[in-house]
Amino acid sequence: MVADVQDELGEAVVREITEAGGQAFYHHLDVSDEQAWTDAVAKAVEVMGGIDFLANNAGIGDNEPLDVTSKETYDRVIAITQTSVFLGTKAAEAELKKSQGSVVNTSSIFCIAGGFGTSPAYAFAKGAVRTFSKNNALGFAPAGVRVNSIHPGFIDTPILGETDRQMLADAAPLKRVGQPEEVAAALLFLASDDASFITGAEFVVDGGFLAQ
Ligand SMILES: NC(=O)c1ccc[n+]([C@@H]2O[C@H](COP(=O)([O-])OP(=O)(O)OC[C@H]3O[C@@H](n4cnc5c(N)ncnc54)[C@H](O)[C@@H]3O)[C@@H](O)[C@H]2O)c1
C-alpha cells in the first residue's frame, strides 16, 4: 500500500510497481490525522489481509532559523514528521503483532548532528523519531515485532528544495548526494528476514557524513 497526500504522484508509484510486475495500490493518507490512520489500517487489512511491515517515512522540514520561524510552522512540522510516527505505529500495532512484523521509521542524520543550525522543529522531530524507535523496539520485542530507524544524509528529493546540491555533495566524503533508491535498499533490508536479529538499531545512509 502506497500512502501519501500527493495522490497523482502516489498513483504514479503504484503504476511503476505494477508495470515492473509487483502488486500495489494507492490510499490517500494524511499522516497527521489519527482517524485517517485508523481508516488506512482498515483498508490495508481489507486488501492485503494484514500488515507485516510499516514504513513511517513522511516528513516535511522548516528551513527557517529560530528567530524567523513561528509556533505555527513548528506545530505543522512536528505533526507531520514526528506525531505521525506515533499515530501510525499505534494504529498498526495490533496487526503488526499478529504478523510478528516490523517497522522502519525514517529519521535523519540531523537527529545525531545539529545540521546547519536552522530547522529547529525538524531537529526536534527527527531526534524524537530516533528515541521513540528504540523505546518502541523494546516495547514491541516481547511480541516479536522489530523496530528500527534509518538516518539518511543528503538525498536528491524534493524535500531539499533549492538547496545547492554541489554544496551538499561536497559535505559528504563520497562527494555526491544520495539517490532515493539507496535509502530504500537499506529500508528493505531492515524489513526483510535477513534482518531478523536487528531491532532498536539505527542505520545511517549518508555517504560517510557522520563519520567525519
Ligand atoms: N532527502 C533528504 O535529504 C533526507 C534526509 C534525511 C531524512 N529525510 C527524510 O526522508 C523522508 C522522506 O523524504 P524525501 O526525502 O523522500 O522527501 P519528499 O519531500 O520527496 O517526501 C516526503 C513525502 O512526505 C509526504 N507528506 C508530506 N506531508 C504529508 C502528510 N501530511 N501525510 C502524508 N504524507 C505527507 C509528501 O507528500 C512526500 O511524498 C522524510 O521523513 C525526510 O525527512 C530526507
Side-chain angles (χ1 to χ4, degrees):
M1 180 164 113
V2 177
D4 206 297
V5 286
Q6 298 193 70
D7 298 341
E8 276 179 30
L9 292 177
E11 297 282 9
V13 171
V14 166
R15 273 197 301 280
E16 221 177 295
I17 295 169
T18 50
E19 280 166 19
Q23 289 185 321
F25 66 99
Y26 177 73
H27 180 80
H28 180 92
L29 168 65
D30 176 349
V31 293
S32 64
D33 179 342
E34 188 168 20
Q35 182 58 48
W37 268 111
T38 303
D39 297 345
V41 167
K43 184 72 183 173
V45 172
E46 178 196 322
V47 177
M48 303 187 292
I51 297 174
D52 53 18
F53 175 63
L54 170 67
N56 283 309
N57 185 58
I60 58 168
D62 52 337
N63 292 313
E64 297 165 341
L66 195 59
D67 58 339
V68 171
T69 196
S70 62
K71 171 84 165 32
E72 194 184 5
T73 299
Y74 174 85
D75 285 342
R76 186 171 143 70
V77 173
I78 295 295
I80 294 173
T81 313
Q82 175 181 329
T83 310
S84 61
V85 180
F86 167 81
L87 294 177
T89 308
K90 200 163 160 49
E93 177 174 0
E95 291 301 324
L96 289 165
K97 286 183 173 174
K98 266 189 224 163
S99 65
Q100 297 199 312
S102 77
V103 182
V104 173
N105 299 319
T106 306
S107 180
S108 166
I109 51 171
F110 289 166
C111 81
I112 296 169
F116 301 116
T118 54
S119 309
Y122 190 76
F124 264 113
K126 292 304 187 183
V129 170
R130 178 196 191 200
T131 317
F132 173 70
S133 300
K134 293 185 192 301
N135 175 271
N136 188 218
L138 299 178
F140 277 9
V145 178
R146 300 181 299 105
V147 183
N148 294 293
S149 53
I150 48 169
H151 302 260
F154 305 119
I155 311 297
D156 197 5
T157 72
I159 204 171
L160 293 182
E162 299 300 311
T163 310
D164 179 9
R165 302 298 198 265
Q166 194 55 52
M167 180 273 285
L168 297 177
D170 289 344
L174 288 184
K175 296 299 171 207
R176 63 178 180 84
V177 292
Q179 295 304 313
E181 291 79 2
E182 295 177 292
V183 179
L187 191 148
L188 283 173
F189 164 68
L190 289 171
S192 76
D193 289 342
D194 286 342
S196 52
F197 201 49
I198 301 177
T199 195
E202 35 189 295
F203 202 126
V204 171
V205 186
D206 69 347
F209 181 86
L210 284 179
Q212 298 173 106

